[in-house]
Amino acid sequence: MKVVCAYLLAVLGGNESPSKADIKTLLGSVGVEAEDSNIDKLLSELEGKDLAEIIAAGSLKLATVPSGGGGGGGPAVAGGAAAGSVNAPKAPEPEPEEEEEDMGFDLFD
């Protein structure tokens, strides 16, 4: 992923076709090293292709992927008696808060 990001940053910076050295220089400037095989694979896959077209095609593919969502809550329980059942456990009472001890200073003095 870092190799792809470096490639995209180089393109955004005005380099239409970043080389392996360009990517390594960009990553090295932030203290990151990448394997040569990863850089070579990316460059071979993108060789001779328009980056804007690749991104557009990828966006179309992503549009077909279901992105889920939780589906929301279930339907409300019908009938007031069923909702407030007699056997329902009581909510635990909150514990009283303890007073903080004065340490002899205030953060906002």
Side-chain angles (χ1 to χ4, degrees):
M1 190 63 136
K2 56 190 166 193
V3 174
V4 173
C5 291
Y7 184 90
L8 292 173
L9 281 172
V11 171
L12 284 173
N15 187 346
E16 294 277 327
S17 181
S19 67
K20 183 177 184 177
D22 295 331
I23 293 171
K24 288 183 86 95
T25 302
L26 201 124
L27 289 173
S29 69
V30 292
V32 176
E33 291 185 25
E35 294 182 23
D36 289 341
S37 62
N38 291 341
I39 297 172
D40 292 334
K41 181 176 180 183
L42 175 71
L43 293 176
S44 67
E45 299 235 350
L46 295 176
E47 188 176 347
K49 296 180 183 174
D50 182 36
L51 189 60
E53 290 176 8
I54 293 171
I55 292 173
S59 294
L60 290 175
K61 288 181 182 180
L62 283 176
T64 63
V65 175
S67 59
V77 178
S85 176
V86 177
N87 295 332
K90 286 187 175 182
E93 293 182 23
E95 296 181 22
E97 294 183 19
E98 296 180 17
E99 291 284 326
E100 291 188 23
E101 190 175 314
D102 186 19
M103 301 293 274
F105 66 93
D106 188 10
L107 290 175
F108 302 105
D109 279 343

